[in-house]
Amino acid sequence: MSVEPVTAKDYEARMCRPQLQLTKTEIEEISEMLLYEELSRARIRDLEEGVRAQRARGSARAVRRWTRVARWATRRAERYELDQN
């Protein structure tokens, strides 16, 4: 496999394409496509926001659960120590 050096002039010659003239219909089609794309992005943002809220609720629930478990374990350990003395 060989690689040829590319000068800035070669790169510009390859990358510069003549500007296309769009018709009104093509512009409307592109606008409509962009509208649908933006709507899908908005839906994705809404879903992500809902997931974040759900995780926050689940996290708070987990904190409460582990707090109860810790309290229970502390009481059990104290009872065990009293029985041993």
Side-chain angles (χ1 to χ4, degrees):
M1 177 180 198
S2 64
V3 178
E4 296 178 17
V6 177
T7 64
K9 188 174 183 179
D10 293 336
Y11 179 78
E12 288 174 1
R14 282 191 216 146
M15 299 312 285
C16 290
R17 295 188 180 111
Q19 292 292 329
L20 299 175
Q21 294 296 324
L22 299 176
T23 64
K24 184 179 177 187
T25 306
E26 290 171 332
I27 292 172
E28 288 174 359
E29 288 174 355
I30 291 171
S31 297
E32 186 176 351
M33 182 178 64
L34 293 174
L35 177 67
Y36 284 123
E37 187 176 334
E38 184 57 35
L39 284 171
S40 67
R41 285 186 183 144
R43 286 189 195 110
I44 290 170
R45 281 192 299 269
D46 288 346
L47 288 171
E48 288 173 346
E49 186 178 317
V51 167
R52 274 194 298 275
Q54 189 175 6
R55 282 185 184 155
R57 283 193 305 272
S59 175
R61 193 177 314 131
V63 167
R64 287 192 304 271
R65 184 181 331 116
W66 283 110
T67 303
R68 278 195 311 269
V69 169
R71 253 188 270 129
W72 171 82
T74 302
R75 286 194 307 265
R76 183 179 169 112
E78 288 171 355
R79 244 188 333 227
Y80 182 75
E81 285 182 11
L82 288 176
D83 290 341
Q84 293 298 320
N85 292 333

